[in-house]
Amino acid sequence: MTINKKQVVKLMQEIQKGSLEKAALKAGICKRTAQKYKNPQPSSVPRKVGSGRGQPNPFGKHWEEIGQMLTRSPELEAQTIMTYLAEQYPKEYHSKQIRSLQRRLQEWRAHHGASKAVIFRQDLKPGRQSQSDWTHMGALNITIGGQPFDHLLFHFMLPYSQFETIMICESESFASLTKGFEQGVLEIGGVASEHRTDNLTAATQKMGNDRVFTKRWMEFLDHYQVQPSRNNPGVSNENGSVEKSHHTFKNAVDQHLMLRQSRDFKTLEQYQVFLNKIKTKRNFMRRDKIDKELETLRSLPDKTFNEAILLTVRVTPSSTIQVLSVTYSVPSRLIGLWLKAVVLRETIELMYGPKIVLTLPRLEAGVLIDYRHIIDSLIRKPGAFEAYQYRAFLYPNPTFLKAYEALKDKGLTSCNKRYLELLHQAKLYGEHEVSLAIDLLLEGDKVPLKEEVLALIEKKKNPKVAVVTQPNLEDYNQLHGFEGVA
């Protein structure tokens, strides 16, 4: 039985007062072990923690050199120094001494190391601050319909109660920042006096050697009577509450995905519902603090902030426009015209004169090409299809890609033109109808040609009508031997 020094001291004290058996009982050891320590030798007393420091330093011969290395570069790791010593003095040092060196370096740093950054725990007050930031979800390997879904979550939270909301988004844009903030304050039903972000480009801009808040972000928060604040560059712990919430929320999602036994969701909406359930459960556990925080939050304004951005754009010969670095296709009839773009949070309204000519869904980044806008021109120039830079958008769903591959497998020299004919039919008769017809042809191991697709569509539109004639009762009577019976 191993005993510590405290027990030995207690045993010695109790032996002076009475029997060995009682002394052992009070020291918390057995009588047999107490007998061994009745007249303890120096070797039998447990060593004091850290007494190994009295042992000879195996690196003593070169410790001065190691100390100079650490003074010049305090961040040097034990493994790096061990490798250096083994190379310089191969007869004296080897890799198995790494643990001993680590202990020696820890002791050196305790006495001579540089000061470390101190985290100052904050006394959080209800209603004083909200925080927000984006977090990448790629490490969780989420898929939608079997396809990898690389995305961000916008995370809004109140540090005091840890109330949180989340929103799926594509990029760290001003639109997702403002939409995520509004979603958060609308869900909690009030606003804190201050909102903290990091130095994100959606809310700040560089001015000299510093970053300042953008006019748009200031106007947005002024609408809610909220004071903006940001952490110092490179000091993420100043936005630490939301950073910690990132970690705990993603861990909760990961745990629920393991219970679910699948990381695939049929639709984006199904994934959003899954996330919302996790968020609701987490907020429910904090309801007492949330109730207390609600008492201190400011009231929401009567209206949400919906700043419209007005731009003037010209339609290129490619039948596209650029709006806030995003490329959109438009009907080819608009090529060469200057249009007014009213950029709202969810949509873009394109106007020519006083009338809206087209409404587009607003993207935060990337490209949006609608084949219906360009197919009339493309079918007249099928050679442009092969190297078209936005060709991926000309397969509106997997069925059309299968159709193109089937045409190509047949070795048809005009497979591009024949595929574009199918795409043209999708514009004329509807993408859904053409997709169904292509699927039927492919299932029957037939080539999905324009003529075959049109025949199926026409057949569906004009199904054969079964003609039922009135039976002759005389025939029935004759069959049963009732001839002449009226």
Side-chain angles (χ1 to χ4, degrees):
M1 177 179 180
T2 303
I3 66 173
N4 57 39
K5 185 176 180 181
K6 186 177 180 181
Q7 288 175 305
V8 173
V9 172
K10 181 68 173 175
L11 177 65
M12 295 301 103
Q13 290 174 347
E14 294 300 328
I15 285 176
Q16 301 300 323
K17 300 177 183 179
S19 69
L20 179 65
E21 188 174 357
K22 288 184 179 180
L25 186 62
K26 291 184 178 181
I29 60 179
C30 68
K31 183 179 178 181
R32 186 175 178 181
T33 302
Q35 187 68 45
K36 294 180 181 179
Y37 286 89
K38 185 175 181 181
N39 298 304
Q41 299 298 319
S43 60
S44 66
V45 180
R47 284 199 308 169
K48 188 177 181 179
V49 176
S51 62
R53 294 172 186 171
Q55 298 297 322
N57 184 352
F59 306 95
K61 186 176 178 180
H62 300 96
W63 191 251
E64 184 177 347
E65 181 181 358
I66 295 172
Q68 291 173 355
M69 294 168 67
L70 290 169
T71 301
R72 289 194 304 269
S73 304
E75 68 279 3
L76 275 173
E77 296 179 357
Q79 186 62 58
T80 305
I81 297 175
M82 192 72 252
T83 301
Y84 168 80
L85 292 174
E87 290 175 353
Q88 296 297 316
Y89 315 104
K91 294 183 180 180
E92 301 182 53
Y93 303 107
H94 50 81
S95 60
K96 291 184 179 180
Q97 293 174 292
I98 184 66
R99 295 291 296 168
S100 179
L101 180 58
Q102 287 172 339
R103 289 192 293 269
R104 297 289 172 177
L105 293 187
Q106 186 177 15
E107 182 180 353
W108 184 92
R109 288 188 168 107
H111 291 284
H112 310 290
S115 299
K116 298 179 181 179
V118 178
I119 301 298
F120 298 95
R121 301 298 176 189
Q122 300 295 294
D123 182 17
L124 301 175
K125 303 292 184 183
R128 191 186 73 81
Q129 187 186 80
S130 56
Q131 294 184 4
S132 66
D133 196 8
W134 290 272
T135 184
H136 289 268
M137 298 292 284
L140 296 182
N141 300 317
I142 304 296
T143 58
I144 304 293
Q147 298 300 311
F149 183 49
D150 186 20
H151 63 292
L152 304 171
L153 281 189
F154 180 82
H155 206 164
F156 172 92
M157 60 92 62
L158 299 170
Y160 173 78
S161 63
Q162 297 185 326
F163 167 86
E164 63 187 339
T165 62
I166 49 94
M167 182 185 74
I168 300 170
C169 52
E170 297 177 356
S171 65
E172 298 183 9
S173 67
F174 181 78
S176 64
L177 171 63
T178 52
K179 184 178 179 181
F181 176 90
E182 284 191 336
Q183 176 182 291
V185 297
L186 288 172
E187 190 168 326
I188 188 67
V191 292
S193 58
E194 175 189 303
H195 186 70
R196 168 67 61 90
T197 63
D198 63 11
N199 291 275
L200 45 95
T201 55
T204 67
Q205 60 188 7
K206 190 172 180 60
M207 184 171 288
N209 295 324
D210 198 8
R211 295 194 71 86
V212 297
F213 292 111
T214 63
K215 180 182 178 183
R216 286 200 299 166
W217 181 234
M218 293 285 287
E219 289 175 348
F220 174 82
L221 287 187
D222 185 59
H223 176 78
Y224 290 94
Q225 297 184 332
V226 173
Q227 182 68 29
S229 71
R230 60 182 178 84
N231 55 286
N232 291 307
V235 190
S236 60
N237 60 279
E238 292 184 350
N239 207 23
S241 295
V242 73
E243 292 284 348
K244 184 176 180 180
S245 289
H246 288 340
H247 173 74
T248 60
F249 187 82
K250 286 197 286 188
N251 183 63
V253 172
D254 194 32
Q255 294 294 310
H256 280 77
L257 287 169
M258 285 187 272
L259 288 175
R260 187 173 180 267
Q261 298 183 4
S262 173
R263 295 174 183 265
D264 183 62
F265 297 85
K266 291 183 179 179
T267 64
L268 181 60
E269 291 72 22
Q270 186 187 48
Y271 176 47
Q272 181 71 69
V273 169
F274 172 78
L275 293 177
N276 285 339
K277 286 182 179 178
I278 297 173
K279 174 209 67 178
T280 301
K281 288 179 183 178
R282 284 161 61 86
N283 283 339
F284 180 77
M285 301 300 293
R286 306 156 178 160
R287 58 192 182 278
D288 291 339
K289 277 197 167 185
I290 291 174
D291 289 342
K292 188 173 182 180
E293 187 136 51
L294 272 170
E295 297 173 1
T296 65
L297 295 177
R298 298 178 180 177
S299 299
L300 290 167
D302 295 334
K303 298 180 181 179
T304 60
F305 184 86
N306 190 20
E307 177 190 26
I309 303 172
L310 301 179
L311 300 172
T312 301
V313 296
R314 189 173 189 180
V315 183
T316 70
S318 299
S319 200
T320 61
I321 58 172
Q322 281 273 329
V323 178
L324 299 178
S325 301
V326 178
T327 299
Y328 300 87
S329 69
V330 298
S332 58
R333 67 178 183 274
L334 302 175
I335 289 176
L337 297 180
W338 287 93
L339 305 176
K340 183 185 293 184
V342 182
V343 185
L344 302 172
R345 182 169 297 161
E346 304 287 345
T347 60
I348 300 172
E349 295 177 350
L350 297 176
M351 303 182 70
Y352 185 69
K355 294 184 178 180
I356 296 176
V357 294
L358 183 65
T359 299
L360 297 168
R362 181 180 175 181
L363 296 186
E364 297 176 7
V367 176
L368 181 62
I369 304 295
D370 188 336
Y371 69 90
R372 299 172 186 85
H373 295 157
I374 58 174
I375 187 60
D376 292 339
S377 294
L378 192 57
I379 201 169
R380 294 194 294 270
K381 301 176 182 178
F385 174 78
E386 191 69 33
Y388 181 50
Q389 68 179 124
Y390 301 127
R391 177 173 161 173
F393 289 91
L394 301 184
Y395 305 111
N397 63 46
T399 296
F400 281 85
L401 181 57
K402 291 177 184 176
Y404 175 74
E405 290 173 346
L407 291 168
K408 197 171 183 179
D409 289 343
K410 292 298 180 181
L412 299 175
T413 55
S414 58
C415 67
N416 287 349
K417 183 178 180 181
R418 290 179 182 275
Y419 173 72
L420 293 175
E421 288 175 346
L422 296 179
L423 209 56
H424 190 243
Q425 299 308 308
K427 177 185 177 181
L428 296 177
Y429 297 101
E431 187 177 306
H432 179 67
E433 296 296 326
V434 174
S435 289
L436 287 177
I438 292 173
D439 279 332
L440 286 172
L441 291 170
L442 291 175
E443 288 173 7
D445 200 25
K446 295 182 179 179
V447 181
L449 298 175
K450 166 188 170 183
E451 296 76 14
E452 300 288 343
V453 169
L454 286 177
L456 287 174
I457 292 175
E458 287 299 322
K459 185 177 180 180
K460 185 178 178 182
K461 285 184 177 179
N462 303 299
K464 290 184 177 179
V465 179
V467 178
V468 180
T469 58
Q470 182 70 26
N472 188 338
L473 294 180
E474 281 297 322
D475 294 337
Y476 181 79
N477 290 335
Q478 290 178 10
L479 182 64
H480 290 276
F482 296 113
E483 187 175 356
V485 179

